[in-house]
Each structure stands twice: as structure tokens, then as C-alpha cells.
Amino acid sequence: MSLKLYNTLTRKKEEFIPLNGKQVGMYVCGPTVYNFFHIGNARPFLVFEVLRKYLQYKKYKVTYVSNFTDIDDKVINKAKELGSSYDKIAERFIAEYFYDADFLNIGRADFYPRATEHITDIIKFILRLQEKGYAYVVDGDVYYDVSKFKDYGKLSKQSIDEIKAGARIEVDERKKNPYDFVLWKKSKEGEPEWSSPWSFGRPGWHIECSVMSSKYLGDTFDIHAGGEDLIFPHHENEIAQSEAVSGKIFARYWLHNGYLKIDNKKMSKSIGNILTIRELSQKYDGSTIRHFLLSAHYRSPLNYSIEQIEQSKNSIETLNNLIFNLNFFSQSKQIHKKIDEDSKKLTETVDRMKDAFIEAMDDDFNTPIALSTLFLLAKETNIYLNKTKNKNLEIINKVIQFYEEFGTNILGLKFSSQLSRQTMLPETEIGHLIAARERARKYKDWETADKIREKLLGVGVIIEDTADGARWKKS
Ligand SMILES: [Zn+2]
């Protein structure tokens, strides 16, 4: 089966064929590092990294690049606000970014280029734009002349006239056209600055992504992704800069995720409803937040509400309990080698779910459908664990493997570590205690058995005695 991706450039689902065989170059616009990132920012970071994991599952060799915008008005203002310097602010919030990204189990990129570490490359790039007649200088500022790039508007599907009409009427007579954008900004007093042929100043925002993506991935690469709010002007401007310089196609597949709202309202400072991952992590674990973010198709809008996130929490708990029980039975001696009808049926379900998972992911990586296979299988497996007398080890291991391969390796859901965090006891420890209690019961040492039961209850673990031995549940 082949992977199809929706390309914003053509507004169509297209078969994904990388430029160079199994090599894939992928660039995702990263954060401006002046604050903790919120759940809306988290969506592109998380979903596109799931796509990368899926591409790796399909044996592609992915080079994944995500930038840090570490110089920007926002960074400078934050530094002023806190009486700090721009580089200290950036350094701190890059560290905070990694802390939250690790909490969400977002895999690390291969490269995290920073704007301030590429000033020389950026200056060279702007010089080339100038040589080719795409840039002009006014009082130390350098602008991109949009009227010179004939394909301008091809990503956002707007004509120059439409863009003109939509452009905010800024009275900036220094620009040739109102929609021309800045490539190099002359510094104001007290601002951080770098020397350049035009002025002491700093790069504009759009130019860093053009420069750093081509540096790590080449002039033409496979996938460029980000939030849909970046289509215009950011990504449109990246295309204008890069294709003007190289004369080649810039990114081949443009992927954009939909908006995230909080209680059906746009997140904004003025409403005061900005929800950071750091805040959310006080109440929910990483897998719950992951489940929530993957529960809608990445191109659809997603609404955050307490009900939604609680539902995700319950869903993850269902899987946690299942995985624990599966592990418990796989280590139990009361397991049969015989394959009865129930075992055969469950084997078939696993195979069906695998196919369904892959089919969903191949269809423009439809994570809600892929996720649903985890729960359909959970339902069948729970019935099997509860009712089947001759539980078969091979099939139990096959189910465990399904969750590792698709739940953890691709969707990034962590099951066991989550258990230990919730119960404050490592999973193996719970296993040992249950085994010790089983032994005590066997020798009719009810006092010890009860003590262990109480100890487990104290950390939120309920034991249920079944015909096959004890089973575990979170209270
Ligand atoms: Zn970008």
C-alpha cells in the first residue's frame, strides 16, 4: 500500500513519492522561544513527528529538521520585560521546550538550527536575492519585492490583486508594495544587532526558514509542514525567497494542521485562555495529551474541553490496564500452548487491526482511525482474558507486540511508565507483590496476603482474584 498525503500546494491528496528513493527530507517550523509552548503550538510539533515515526516504520530514512526562532521582537520584548538579554531568554525557553517535548514523548529532530547561529548564511542568501533583483534596500532595511516573483500566491491560492486587497493598509511609503516583506531589519537603539552590508541589524522571520531548510535538506526537499496559520504569509514568503534564489521547486509536499480551540474559542492573551503544556502536565500525563491531540485528523479543527481531555484520560487508562494484564498473563505459568477457537479468533482480530491501522495511516495519516484500532482490539482482548480458559502465550505476546509497534513506536503512547507514575510503584514491583501474595494465599497465609493487598491499595492498585490468578486494576 502506498502513502497518500494532502498537499496544500495542489489542494489534493497525492501519492507520496520522495525525491531520492527511501530518503526523506522534512522541515517543520519550530517555536519562537520566548515562552512556554501551549497546546495549540504542540499540535504541529506532535502530529508531524508522528508522521516521521510512521515514515520510519515504512522504512524511509528521514532527516527531520525543526528550527528555533531565537531572535524576534517577541524575544527582545520578553528580555526587556524580565530585565534579561535576548540570548538568555532564548536559551531558557529552548530548554523549557525540550522539557515539555520530552514530556509529550515528541521524538528529537535530527537538527535544531537557530537563526542566530546562521547569520552569515542568511546574509549570503539575501545578497543572492539582491543580485537577482528580488530585494531592495531602504535606509538599512532590506525588503523582498513581491511583484518580481511571478508565482507569488501559489500556496495560499491568491492572486497578487487579492493579496493587495487583503493587505493591511500600512502607511509605509518606504516599501514599493504594501505586501513586500522584510529580509533584514536595521536595529533600533539597544537592540541586539549583527553587522551586514546594509546595516547593523537582524534577519526577518521568513528568511531563516528558507536558509536553514536548504542548508540541511538541499534546495528541493520532500515535506514542509506547520500550522495552517503559517500558509500565508510565512510559507508563501519562504517559497518566494527560496525559489527565487535556486530557480528550483522548494518543498514538494506542503502539510498544514488545523486550528486548536479552547471551549470553542480561539486561544488568545486577551481572553486569557492560553493553555500551556506545562500547566496541563500538572493534571494529565503525556500520553493523555497525546491521545487528545491525535484524536482528530490533523487537518481538522480540534476543540479542547475538560470533557475531551477526561475522555482521553479514560481511554489511556483502559489501555494501561489492558497492557498490565497482558504482561501479567504473559509471565504467568498458567498459560496454554493449545490454540483454541477463541485464540484463533483473537489472532485474526490482531491481523485485521494491523491492516486497518496501516490503511488509516496511509490515507493522509488518519490518526483517529488508527487510534480506534487500539481500542477495538482492547475490547476483544479483554473478553479473551476474562472468558477464555486456555489462554495462549503466543497470542498474548502478539497482542503485546501490536501495542508496542503501533501504540508506542508510531503513535508515541507510553503505557508502562505511565502506570508507574500513577501508582508511584514500578510495574515490576507490582508484579512481585502480586506474586508474593499469590504464594501467601497458596500456603493459606491470609494475614500476609491481606497485608500485601492493603499495601497495593495504598498506591491505588486493586487486586481481583480470578480463576487464572490475580489481576490488577487502578483504583
Ligand atoms: Zn518557518
Side-chain angles (χ1 to χ4, degrees), residues 5 54 70 129 206 249 251 263 270-271 277 282 429 473:
L5 295 174
Y54 185 62
D70 63 348
L129 280 171
H206 312 299
I249 294 289
D263 297 322
S270 56
I271 304 179
I277 294 300
Q282 308 296 316
E429 180 80 357
K473 212 171 90 179

Side-chain angles (χ1 to χ4, degrees), residues 226-241:
E228 71 178 17
D229 53 326
L230 297 184
I231 297 175
F232 187 84
H234 185 53
H235 289 163
E236 196 73 73
N237 292 350
E238 281 187 41
I239 293 175
Q241 295 164 153

